[in-house]
Amino acid sequence: MSVRAELRGVARTFADGTRGLLPTDLVLEPGSVTALLGPSGCGKTTLLRLLAGLARPDPGGAVLFDGRDVTDLPVERRNIGMVFQGYALFPHMTVARNIGYGLEARGVPRAQREPRVAEMLRLVRLEALAGRRPDQLSGGQRQRVALARALAPQPALLLLDEPFGALDAALRLALRVELAALLTALRVTAVIVTHDQAEAMALGDGVAVMEGGRIGQRGTPRDIYERPANRFVAGFVGTLNDLGEGRFCRPEALRPDPAGPLEGRVSAAFFDAGRTRLHLAAPGGGEWVLELEPGQAVPERGSALRLALDEKAVLRF
Amino acid sequence: MLLAFFLLPLARLVGQGADPALYWRALTEWQYVSALLVTVALSLVTAVCAVGLAAVVAGWLAHRHFPGRRLLVAMLTMPVALPGVVIAFMMILLMGRQGLLADITDWLTGERVVLAYTIVGLFAGYLYFSLPRCIATLLAAAEAMDPALDEAARMLGASPWKRVRDVWLPGLAPALVASGAICFATAMGALGTAFTLAADIRVLPMVIYTEFTLATNLGMAAALSVILGVATWIALAVARSFGGGMSAAA
Amino acid sequence: MRFIPPLVTALVTAFLIGPILLSALAGVTANWFLGLSGGFTLQWIGRVWEHYAHTIGLSVWLAFATLICTLVLGVPAAWSLARSESRAARLLEEALVLPVAVPGIATALGLIMLWGAVGDFRTHWSFVLVGHVLFTLPFMLRSTIAAMKQADLPVLEEAAAACGARFWRRFRTVVLPAARGGILAGSLMVVALSLGEFNMSLLLTSPFTMTLPVGLADSYASLRLEIGSAFTLVFLVLLVPPLIALQMVADRLGGVR
């Protein structure tokens, strides 16, 4: 069922003249999961709405599904599933009716609807809550209803707009694992919009980092982390230490070594779940961050620390 | 202050018409009953039409941005403060003997159609003063709705009509009921429009006025006022029981 | 299907605005029967002035007096309602729609029956004032209460009190500025409503205290169409500025939210 979706020269200018998205090309392979990552206002939600058909691209741009031009096809005829940022569950309908709504709208008779709704309820483990209304559910449950509703009509393309945005940190983590497993099992072409780099890295086979209305870099999570295309991408997907003269490195490239070539002064140490994150004042006035292995001694604040650098991991911009 | 100038007069009003015989007459004699029925029917039709039209306008305007939108909204809601007499006069200009409608029908068919003093003219007048308030209330309610709900329904493949039924009507229901009730209440008590237009149609406020000034029949005027008030109150109470907070409507 | 909503919107707009333009136009045409070809004149407006100058003056004065009364009564009342958490206050707030719900003609009758025989009150302009205040006060209260609640007034006041401000200073420097927008919107609404009030005024006014809308009805019934139109035009010129101001205030308040 999954589709190959393609954007060709798609741009979007808003009514007030601001450019939401600069002309963009993007191919989503069938069954792939792509994370659109970027700060707010970078155009990632705009791109998602263009894929969905909730917004029209500026003249000249085209959206293709399996090679077919769907630019003029409104959202209701694109066979997509979407999980909205605030979930947008219909407040006066039960969980079951919410989930079955897409089938209902497509004219599927009740007898065929019910088994599919039951299957979806099982998939997201909400069998016991089928008769509840959205306002009687917790945030995590709502999120799962929204997902089940989007998946029930077997969409060719699944779009998720900040699917965990309204949840607290612990729940985000649990649901992230759940969603990753589900997406792998379903093999549906999916796009996830998020501003959380850890989420993007965990969920996407591919990540597209967006900046100022365009895609700054596209690649596997590892590619983007280890070989970022520019300084913005590098800084957005992980911590970056400025070594001076256009040289940068990740925290992992630094380790304490009395014979190392670099020296910084310890300014703070944070203990987090078995690891210690060390902040150092760099000689050039900047700040370096590195992580100590479990069991390594934590140096005193204010003391000088010599560091070794993994030269292979140095990034240059 | 409220007591002296509002509650006491109301009590006095109830007291003045307290003679059961008066109420009996008001509720059995055809001239009064027919006036009550006409008023209720006219107010009901007005409320339904005004809310229906206003809902379409509000649904279309909500979440839609275009140059001149503010001016359009202002034009649609500003007539809220026009008094009934002025509205009646405008209806005369529109549908009276020298009205626009007469000119147009004269040109089309050679016959001058005059509707201002008929029930149609009265209805048009009532509709005129009901629409701005309904539009203002429903527009606010529609703007407060989450646009993602409509988008979600579209994403799931719902037709426009299905979206109206499953998203817009349930979402706007409290505001629809509340503004309908306020419309009904206002129409029930409207004197100004009827004063100028209803030469042949007996609506209740006009009957009260006539009883009071021409027949100087204070008791009957009071009894009819109480009946009018009660009928209005029942409508508002019904609307309240639907859960639409009244204060949201007016 | 898609073109129906914009079409309805256009028709409704035409229905609401058309008659206003029509009546404004009729007020300055020399002869409505001849239409625009008859030329334009200000003579009708002059005639209106001859006949109804005192009526116009009284209405403006009444609107002003009503505003003062609703401000003096309404703002403190709104403040005590907005900060009170008692059930009685909630009930009272609900009851604020009462004067809207009780038909004006009924209230007016009650007033006449109770106070009509007391001295010269019946023929004095203040008798009409009472009716107008009754009718408009709820609008002032609601608008002001809404603004006060939105400004989270109790917390602001506690903060001011914690800074050592006494009651009067708090009221002047915190309460009034916080509710300024609501009071302004309420005031404009009161002026517009008072200028146009007819349902009560028809009964409350006497030949000596005729207000503008009652005068309008009088002119429609007895004088020629152009004078009625001209009078309507004069009325619109009075009414529209507060309404436009109201729209602007509402827009600004809406923008802040």
Side-chain angles (χ1 to χ4, degrees):
Chain A
M1 269 311 286
S2 52
V3 76
R4 179 179 191 273
E6 187 179 351
L7 297 182
R8 268 195 210 151
V10 165
R12 169 85 175 149
T13 310
F14 295 124
D16 62 357
T18 51
R19 304 294 300 270
L21 188 71
L22 301 168
T24 297
D25 296 307
L26 180 69
V27 176
L28 308 166
E29 292 302 336
S32 67
V33 179
T34 307
L36 294 179
L37 175 68
S40 62
C42 69
K44 56 191 194 299
T45 294
T46 305
L47 199 158
L48 195 76
R49 292 175 66 84
L50 287 163
L51 267 172
L54 287 168
R56 280 187 66 90
D58 294 344
V63 183
L64 292 89
F65 283 5
D66 284 337
R68 194 165 65 99
D69 190 334
V70 295
T71 315
D72 296 322
L73 217 57
V75 56
E76 50 267 47
R77 295 178 49 207
R78 283 197 189 182
N79 191 29
I80 55 134
M82 183 158 173
V83 174
F84 288 80
Q85 196 163 11
Y87 311 139
L89 299 178
F90 305 121
H92 56 286
M93 295 182 192
T94 61
V95 166
R97 178 136 189 248
N98 260 292
I99 294 176
Y101 192 85
L103 301 169
E104 191 186 316
R106 285 166 170 77
V108 177
R110 178 183 292 269
Q112 293 168 35
R113 244 165 34 215
E114 273 167 3
R116 179 67 180 163
V117 170
E119 186 190 335
M120 283 295 121
L121 282 166
R122 248 191 332 276
L123 185 72
V124 294
R125 294 180 290 102
L126 288 172
E127 296 101 314
L129 304 178
R132 296 259 188 107
R133 285 179 199 282
D135 59 356
Q136 299 166 311
L137 302 179
S138 71
Q141 289 164 346
R142 282 180 210 180
Q143 199 266 348
R144 274 144 58 194
V145 175
L147 186 61
R149 181 178 72 175
L151 287 172
Q154 291 176 304
L157 176 65
L158 180 66
L159 306 171
L160 302 109
D161 191 0
E162 299 277 3
F164 309 113
L167 305 174
D168 58 61
L171 202 54
R172 289 177 83 116
L173 213 59
L175 283 172
R176 186 201 291 171
V177 174
E178 212 170 281
L179 181 63
L182 205 61
L183 290 176
T184 314
L186 291 170
R187 298 311 303 167
V188 58
T189 314
V191 180
I192 301 168
V193 157
T194 176
H195 63 268
D196 180 329
Q197 46 96 6
E199 217 161 86
M201 300 275 178
L203 287 169
D205 319 328
V207 175
V209 184
M210 295 193 64
E211 174 200 4
R214 51 183 206 85
I215 294 176
Q217 187 179 3
R218 186 150 186 246
T220 64
R222 180 168 290 272
D223 264 352
I224 288 190
Y225 187 77
E226 290 178 352
R227 282 181 294 282
N230 59 46
R231 193 170 166 192
F232 171 81
V233 171
F236 198 78
V237 298
T239 308
L240 205 59
N241 294 322
D242 187 347
L243 303 171
E245 294 159 3
R247 286 152 47 91
F248 299 86
C249 75
R250 297 288 185 199
E252 306 84 68
L254 293 174
R255 67 193 147 72
D257 183 348
L262 302 171
E263 190 182 69
R265 196 162 291 278
V266 178
S267 60
F270 299 103
F271 181 75
D272 175 32
R275 287 174 167 272
T276 301
R277 226 171 149 77
L278 216 53
H279 289 238
L280 301 158
E287 189 184 54
W288 293 338
V289 176
L290 67 143
E291 275 181 356
L292 298 177
E293 294 298 315
Q296 244 175 336
V298 180
E300 294 259 328
R301 225 167 81 178
S303 63
L305 187 67
R306 294 207 73 83
L307 303 166
L309 173 67
D310 179 2
E311 281 292 342
K312 289 196 300 278
V314 169
L315 308 165
R316 289 161 203 278
F317 303 121
Chain B
M1 287 295 280
L2 191 71
L3 193 74
F5 288 115
F6 184 66
L7 297 180
L8 278 182
L10 272 191
R12 178 66 194 271
L13 189 68
V14 176
Q16 182 83 35
D19 185 355
L22 276 176
Y23 282 104
W24 179 246
R25 272 186 60 205
L27 290 173
T28 50
E29 274 181 36
W30 181 239
Q31 55 165 327
Y32 301 124
V33 178
S34 64
L36 181 63
L37 289 181
V38 166
T39 314
V40 169
L42 184 61
S43 304
L44 214 56
V45 173
T46 304
V48 169
C49 292
V51 169
L53 287 173
V56 175
V57 172
W60 187 69
L61 277 175
H63 309 302
R64 190 169 299 241
H65 300 281
F66 51 89
R69 180 180 189 276
R70 276 172 50 147
L71 181 69
L72 183 63
V73 172
M75 290 202 299
L76 285 170
T77 53
M78 207 146 72
V80 78
L82 283 185
V85 257
V86 172
I87 291 167
F89 180 67
M90 289 173 176
M91 291 307 121
I92 292 175
L93 283 180
L94 209 57
M95 305 192 256
R97 274 179 271 280
Q98 276 84 46
L100 206 58
L101 181 73
D103 288 342
I104 292 171
T105 50
D106 189 20
W107 180 69
L108 282 178
T109 64
E111 205 170 324
R112 299 188 73 82
V113 174
V114 177
L115 288 175
Y117 307 98
T118 67
I119 193 90
V120 178
L122 200 58
F123 166 72
Y126 277 39
L127 198 59
Y128 190 101
F129 66 66
S130 303
L131 274 171
R133 171 171 288 170
C134 282
I135 290 173
T137 309
L138 291 177
L139 187 56
E143 298 265 296
M145 269 177 66
D146 182 0
L149 282 178
D150 189 57
E151 290 177 353
R154 285 181 62 190
M155 171 274 284
L156 291 164
S159 65
W161 174 237
K162 193 167 170 55
R163 282 183 351 245
V164 167
R165 217 181 47 201
D166 291 335
V167 176
W168 289 98
L169 282 184
L172 291 179
L176 288 172
V177 173
S179 63
I182 291 285
C183 261
F184 179 79
T186 321
M188 285 291 285
L191 177 60
T193 316
F195 186 75
T196 311
L197 284 182
D200 309 319
I201 305 154
R202 289 167 54 86
V203 291
L204 208 48
M206 272 308 285
V207 175
I208 295 172
Y209 179 73
T210 324
E211 291 287 333
F212 173 69
T213 48
L214 301 180
T216 55
N217 190 347
L218 259 187
M220 187 48 107
L224 289 172
S225 300
V226 172
I227 291 171
L228 180 64
V230 168
T232 313
W233 263 88
I234 291 172
L236 291 177
V238 168
R240 261 213 69 152
S241 69
F242 274 96
M246 281 296 80
S247 37
Chain C
M1 189 65 203
R2 296 185 76 92
F3 62 87
I4 292 175
L7 187 70
V8 169
T9 308
L11 285 177
V12 167
T13 313
F15 177 61
L16 290 177
I17 294 305
I20 296 182
L21 298 179
L22 209 58
S23 72
L25 205 60
V28 289
T29 47
N31 189 326
W32 184 241
F33 301 92
L34 300 178
L36 301 183
S37 57
F40 296 97
T41 175
L42 288 179
Q43 64 155 319
W44 306 122
I45 292 184
R47 291 275 288 279
V48 167
W49 196 250
E50 270 167 45
H51 273 87
Y52 292 109
H54 66 283
T55 304
I56 297 167
L58 178 67
S59 260
V60 171
W61 164 245
L62 259 180
F64 179 69
T66 307
L67 175 59
I68 299 295
C69 288
T70 49
L71 280 176
V72 169
L73 293 172
V75 175
W79 174 71
S80 60
L81 278 176
R83 70 201 310 262
S84 164
E85 276 159 23
S86 69
R87 278 182 65 98
R90 291 290 82 77
L91 270 175
L92 216 62
E93 234 174 277
E94 288 277 334
L96 284 181
V97 278
L98 261 173
V100 183
V102 175
I105 189 166
T107 319
L109 260 183
L111 277 173
I112 290 171
M113 287 173 180
L114 190 68
W115 296 101
V118 180
D120 291 333
F121 193 27
R122 177 74 179 88
T123 51
H124 195 256
W125 58 265
S126 58
F127 193 58
V128 190
L129 177 66
V130 169
H132 281 206
V133 172
L134 270 182
F135 173 59
T136 54
L137 190 58
F139 292 90
M140 173 65 87
L141 281 172
R142 262 210 309 264
S143 166
T144 310
I145 289 177
M148 286 177 170
K149 288 201 162 160
Q150 199 202 322
D152 211 358
L153 204 55
V155 179
L156 286 183
E157 264 193 275
E158 280 167 16
C163 295
R166 298 276 176 93
F167 170 78
W168 189 231
R169 173 176 290 274
R170 288 205 305 267
F171 196 77
R172 266 189 310 119
T173 57
V174 177
V175 177
L176 287 184
R180 198 181 47 207
I183 295 173
L184 187 57
S187 302
L188 292 165
M189 195 70 197
V190 164
V191 169
L193 285 173
S194 168
L195 278 176
E197 210 295 320
F198 178 80
N199 290 0
M200 278 188 191
S201 307
L202 181 62
L203 292 185
L204 293 181
T205 51
S206 62
F208 313 102
T209 58
M210 190 191 276
T211 61
L212 215 166
V214 180
L216 277 170
D218 182 64
S219 78
Y220 297 156
S222 54
L223 299 169
R224 55 183 296 170
L225 198 68
E226 290 85 351
I227 300 189
S229 293
F231 200 1
T232 308
L233 185 57
V234 171
F235 174 69
L236 288 176
V237 166
L238 274 178
L239 186 67
V240 168
L243 287 182
I244 290 177
L246 185 65
Q247 203 84 40
M248 282 161 62
V249 171
D251 270 356
R252 220 191 53 208
L253 292 181
V256 171
R257 227 168 280 157

